[in-house]
């Protein structure tokens, strides 16, 4: 599947490959340490954000997951 921005498709492919490799070779074998794909994800995320702005895609009402999103105040 291509990315929302044509210029982001290669970054998406690189991130997907990195994540899938980490998931299969590390996470599923019990090693959840480290974040080998974090920098790739950040680059891809910035590219997508730029493409959304350039294409003037309305995103009002959408919430994006971030470090503090998805957690309730009472969860620890």
């Amino acid at each position: 599947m291509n990315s929302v921005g044509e210029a982001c498709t290669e970054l998406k492919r690189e991130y997907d490959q990195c994540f899938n490799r980490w998931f299969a070779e590390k996470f599923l074998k019990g090693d959840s340490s480290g974040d080998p794909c974090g920098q790739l994800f950040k680059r891809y995320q910035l590219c997508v954000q730029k493409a959304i702005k350039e294409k003037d895609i309305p995103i009002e009402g959408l919430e994006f997951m971030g470090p503090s999103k998805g957690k309730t105040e009472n969860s620890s």
Side-chain angles (χ1 to χ4, degrees):
M1 175 186 258
N2 289 338
S3 181
V4 66
E6 194 174 311
C8 304
T9 298
E10 185 58 32
L11 283 172
K12 179 187 184 305
R13 191 172 4 263
E14 287 177 37
Y15 171 73
D16 287 347
Q17 287 175 348
C18 181
F19 176 84
N20 290 334
R21 189 176 319 114
W22 169 81
F23 189 77
E25 296 175 6
K26 301 285 184 174
F27 184 80
L28 290 178
K29 295 177 181 177
D31 182 359
S32 60
S33 64
D35 186 8
C37 308
Q39 291 300 323
L40 277 173
F41 179 74
K42 287 177 185 176
R43 288 177 39 216
Y44 174 57
Q45 184 180 40
L46 289 172
C47 188
V48 167
Q49 289 170 350
K50 181 180 176 187
I52 287 172
K53 286 180 184 177
E54 288 175 353
K55 293 182 178 204
D56 201 26
I57 298 172
I59 58 171
E60 293 81 27
L62 295 179
E63 293 185 31
F64 290 93
M65 297 300 287
S68 63
K69 299 284 183 178
K71 296 180 183 175
T72 62
E73 289 184 25
N74 296 332
S75 67
S76 50

